[in-house]
């Protein structure tokens, strides 16, 4: 499983730290440390963290996705969640 | 009906069961001026941008004023002093930076990840006990049987407030929560009642905090009260009391709505109830969708500090601004098919816990309580059916939820 956090979006709400404390930690007010390759048994907690993020900054790539598809796909066509920017 | 009275319709109890069509009409403009001078913000984009706008202040309550007693010493010396202290030391939900940030920092240091996550097993045990008490009945009154007692027991345990004292502050909590309701804020008598209630609960907290200092336990109040003793920066006593009251009231008056609205929504969507029962792992996403679809807090009021131009309207300085979260959550510009309860949607950026620097402190706890309550109810109630739809609602338009939810059951497993 691969985890990516868009740190431009992250606002330090710390909801991920409560949901998956072994994979996310906030140092000081807004420096987020996270495990980019958490073990598979953390999956349910990582999913909770992803869903609880108020700014949808956490992206999870599960192992059951075909790695080849991800590598070969055109980044501009990747279906990221729609985000409204003020 | 003209647009400048739509928010009055939202406040009207007759529309409590379904305010969403009014929100839809309000969304024809991102910001609509109401006849009383308030500005209602109803679209997702406008709410989102204002949540991060420092020109909006949360210090929007009128100064507190204690009722006359007839005793000149009290009326001319003591109470004016109390009024000034109470106004200056409002709880952090009604404060702006930098004071807000300092107070919130103290709370967050005690609202630790371990302390919150350790409540998991306790919440499970409480839910099971509360459901077990309904055994032998063919009817569950969800609010009094579970939705109310669960968060109350949890917040008491977390803060270190003896649960045996709960009957004493049950009515206080209900009264103080009206500080979020525009009607009660405008009504002079209701405001006096709130001040009197605050004095009663503050006296209770003052005694409790004194006890905690003498006999510290492993709870949030002990932690908050002891900080100064260890030479660390600490809250002053008045802030400590108003913070303790805020946390206690917040624990009483919000999660109850999340759980009740959740069960109501599941009973209205039996296929989702069946899916959750079959696969409890659906719960986290279902709860986020619930926070979008039927949030426990529908709006919060702020005050404009300067002129704010937004969505083709200029909000003048001093004007009350209503951030209508529950409407932003149903904005078709942001969510496809917004009036459909769809726990499989992935793009759920809701305002169920507000946003920006006042984002709900208790969110992680509310998520734990709601998840365990809903999953366990679905598993243990046999053939649950709604007895009345819509149910009766509590008075609040902001803290909105059923006052009672009768569920017919064929048994408990």
């Amino acid at each position: 499983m691969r985890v990516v956090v868009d740190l431009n979006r992250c606002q330090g709400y710390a909801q991920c730290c409560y949901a998956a404390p072994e994979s996310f930690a906030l140092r000081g007010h807004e420096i987020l440390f996270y495990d980019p390759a958490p073990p598979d048994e953390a999956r349910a907690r990582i999913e909770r963290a992803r869903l609880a993020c108020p700014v949808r900054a956490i992206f999870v790539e599960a192992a059951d996705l075909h790695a080849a598809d991800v590598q070969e796909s055109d980044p501009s066509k990747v279906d990221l969640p729609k985000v409204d920017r003020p | 009906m003209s647009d400048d009275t739509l928010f009055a319709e939202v406040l009207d109890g007759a529309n409590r069961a379904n305010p969403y069509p009014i929100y839809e009409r309000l969304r024809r403009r991102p910001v609509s001026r109401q006849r009383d001078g308030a500005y209602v913000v109803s679209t997702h984009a406008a709410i989102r941008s204002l949540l991060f706008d420092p020109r909006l202040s949360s210090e929007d309550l009128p100064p507190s004023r204690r009722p006359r007693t007839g005793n000149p010493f009290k009326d001319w010396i003591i109470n004016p002093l109390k009024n000034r202290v109470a106004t200056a030391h409002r709880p952090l939900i009604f404060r702006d930076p930098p004071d807000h940030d300092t107070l919130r920092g103290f709370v967050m240091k005690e609202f630790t990840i371990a302390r919150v996550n350790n409540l998991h097993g306790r919440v499970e045990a409480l839910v099971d006990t509360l459901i077990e008490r309904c055994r032998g009945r063919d009817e569950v009154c969800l609010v009094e049987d579970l939705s109310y007692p669960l968060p109350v027991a949890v917040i008491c345990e977390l803060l270190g407030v003896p649960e045996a004292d709960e009957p004493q502050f049950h009515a206080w909590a209900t009264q103080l929560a009206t500080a979020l309701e525009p009607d009660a804020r405008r009504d002079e008598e209701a405001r006096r009642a709130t001040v009197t209630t605050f004095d009663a609960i503050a006296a209770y907290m003052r005694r409790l905090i004194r006890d905690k200092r003498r006999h510290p336990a492993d709870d949030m109040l002990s932690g908050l009260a002891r900080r100064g003793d260890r030479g660390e920066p600490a809250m002053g006593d008045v802030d400590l009391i108003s913070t303790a009251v805020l946390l206690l009231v917040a624990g009483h008056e919000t999660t109850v709505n999340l759980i009740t609205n959740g069960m109501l929504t599941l009973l209205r969507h039996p296929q989702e109830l069946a899916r959750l029962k079959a696969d409890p792992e659906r719960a986290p996403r279902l709860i986020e969708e619930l926070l979008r679809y039927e949030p426990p807090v529908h709006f919060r009021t702020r005050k404009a500090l300067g002129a704010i131009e937004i969505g083709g309207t200029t909000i003048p300085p001093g004007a009350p601004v209503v951030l209508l979260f529950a409407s932003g959550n149903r904005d078709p510009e942001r969510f496809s098919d917004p009036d459909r309860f769809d726990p499989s949607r992935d793009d759920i950026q809701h305002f169920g816990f507000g946003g920006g620097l006042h984002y709900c402190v208790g969110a992680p706890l509310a998520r734990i309580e709601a998840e365990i309550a809903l999953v366990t109810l679905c598993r243990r109630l046999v053939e649950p059916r709604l007895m009345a739809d819509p149910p009766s609602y509590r008075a609040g338009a902001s803290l909105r939820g059923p006052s009672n939810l009768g569920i017919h059951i064929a048994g408990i497993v």
Side-chain angles (χ1 to χ4, degrees):
Chain A
M1 188 173 25
R2 203 169 73 170
V3 172
V4 175
V5 179
D6 182 341
L7 294 171
N8 288 317
R9 277 192 206 174
C10 175
Q11 303 271 343
Y13 283 100
Q15 300 305 300
C16 53
C17 309
Y18 286 93
E22 61 294 290
S23 308
F24 298 89
L26 210 55
R27 307 272 162 84
H29 282 299
E30 44 198 57
I31 308 163
L32 182 73
F33 284 70
Y34 68 97
D35 181 354
D40 276 347
E41 56 273 22
R43 188 192 197 106
R45 289 191 295 276
I46 296 282
E47 176 66 357
R48 275 193 173 78
R50 187 181 75 83
L51 290 165
C53 178
V55 289
R56 313 297 275 160
I58 302 171
F59 299 87
V60 181
E61 181 192 281
D64 51 356
L65 280 177
H66 295 295
D69 290 354
V70 176
Q71 274 166 14
E72 285 167 20
S73 65
D74 176 353
S76 65
K77 287 181 187 153
V78 173
D79 189 23
L80 291 176
K82 190 173 87 183
V83 182
D84 55 330
R85 302 239 181 232
Chain B
M1 198 79 54
S2 76
D3 280 4
D4 65 357
T5 54
L6 282 173
F7 193 61
E9 285 185 61
V10 172
L11 300 184
D12 184 349
N15 295 315
R16 198 67 76 245
N18 186 16
Y20 298 103
I22 311 172
Y23 298 167
E24 190 181 340
R25 287 162 63 200
L26 276 163
R27 279 195 305 268
R28 286 188 296 214
R29 289 166 165 203
V31 180
S32 0
R33 185 184 189 279
Q34 299 298 290
R35 201 171 285 174
D36 63 3
Y39 287 74
V40 178
V41 186
S42 53
T43 62
H44 194 279
I47 293 169
R48 195 178 134 100
S49 92
L50 285 179
L51 273 172
F52 293 94
D53 195 320
R55 291 171 296 177
L56 271 197
S57 168
S58 291
E59 300 187 354
D60 66 319
L61 289 184
S64 74
R65 218 171 341 160
R66 274 150 185 79
R68 291 206 175 276
T69 61
N71 173 341
F73 180 65
K74 274 197 171 164
D75 288 349
W76 294 98
I77 297 174
I78 298 293
N79 282 348
L81 275 174
K82 275 193 176 172
N83 289 339
R84 277 178 60 179
V85 171
T87 305
H89 295 272
R90 290 244 160 80
L92 59 106
I93 190 172
F94 300 122
R95 300 280 278 277
D96 290 339
D99 297 348
H100 163 273
D101 303 5
T102 312
L103 293 174
R104 186 169 169 127
F106 288 129
V107 173
M108 295 317 289
K109 279 202 176 111
E110 293 299 327
F111 195 74
T112 59
I113 290 161
R115 190 168 263 155
V116 174
N117 287 346
N118 282 346
L119 283 168
H120 215 272
R122 185 75 185 111
V123 174
E124 279 176 339
L126 278 165
V127 169
D128 273 323
T129 309
L130 291 167
I131 294 179
E132 201 54 46
R133 276 189 204 155
C134 302
R135 189 174 287 282
R137 301 192 341 221
D138 57 5
E139 179 187 332
V140 172
C141 299
L142 193 68
V143 176
E144 65 181 274
D145 286 333
L146 189 135
S147 311
Y148 195 82
L150 174 68
V152 165
V154 172
I155 194 69
C156 284
E157 189 154 326
L158 186 69
L159 285 176
V161 172
E163 217 196 322
D165 295 346
E166 204 277 329
Q168 221 185 113
F169 50 72
H170 185 135
W172 293 342
T174 310
Q175 174 65 40
L176 290 178
T178 62
L180 260 48
E181 305 296 340
D183 281 352
R185 287 164 76 147
R186 245 170 275 170
D187 182 67
E188 194 70 15
E189 206 152 306
R191 276 175 50 204
R192 292 223 172 97
T194 300
V195 169
T196 315
T197 307
F198 184 82
D199 285 347
I201 199 169
Y204 172 87
M205 280 297 174
R206 194 171 297 121
R207 280 194 302 275
L208 187 62
I209 289 164
R210 204 177 48 211
D211 288 351
K212 296 283 172 194
R213 288 206 165 113
R214 283 191 198 136
H215 312 286
D218 181 22
D219 53 51
M220 278 186 73
L221 266 186
S222 296
L224 287 169
R226 278 182 60 206
R227 249 165 214 287
D229 311 346
R230 292 177 300 212
E232 298 165 43
M235 275 190 217
D237 276 11
V238 185
D239 282 326
L240 184 52
I241 289 167
S242 65
T243 303
V245 172
L246 169 71
L247 298 177
L248 188 64
V249 173
H252 268 66
E253 300 294 322
T254 53
T255 316
V256 51
N257 293 340
L258 181 58
I259 297 172
T260 317
N261 289 341
M263 203 55 197
L264 173 63
T265 304
L266 285 170
L267 289 164
R268 283 173 173 169
H269 299 83
Q271 73 286 5
E272 292 301 337
L273 192 149
R275 278 186 198 151
L276 181 63
K277 188 175 175 176
D279 179 12
E281 289 208 2
R282 292 177 65 84
R285 190 176 294 198
L286 183 135
I287 283 160
E288 297 307 318
E289 171 69 346
L290 192 59
L291 284 157
R292 181 193 73 81
Y293 183 79
E294 285 278 24
V297 181
H298 272 222
F299 56 85
R300 288 280 292 111
T301 315
R302 306 270 206 265
K303 189 175 75 185
L305 293 178
I308 303 172
E309 215 182 305
I310 181 159
T313 306
T314 302
I315 304 175
V321 180
V322 179
L323 302 178
L324 197 45
F325 298 140
S327 169
N329 283 353
R330 301 272 191 127
D331 186 347
E333 293 281 313
R334 181 62 184 81
F335 302 104
S336 58
D337 206 358
D339 291 325
R340 203 162 80 89
F341 177 66
D342 177 12
S344 60
R345 72 170 82 227
D346 199 53
D347 178 25
I348 324 174
Q349 201 176 357
H350 59 73
F351 298 125
F353 292 122
L357 51 92
H358 288 281
Y359 187 85
C360 176
V361 168
L365 185 58
R367 286 190 170 104
I368 291 174
E369 291 182 44
E371 175 171 342
I372 295 173
L374 294 179
V375 166
T376 315
L377 283 166
C378 290
R379 194 184 70 230
R380 298 198 61 188
L381 301 188
V382 182
E383 293 168 38
R385 274 182 298 115
L386 266 183
M387 292 172 67
D389 195 3
S392 58
Y393 275 78
R394 312 167 80 204
S398 174
L399 300 178
R400 171 186 169 274
S403 55
N404 182 24
L405 192 74
I407 304 172
H408 209 283
I409 53 168
I412 286 169
V413 291

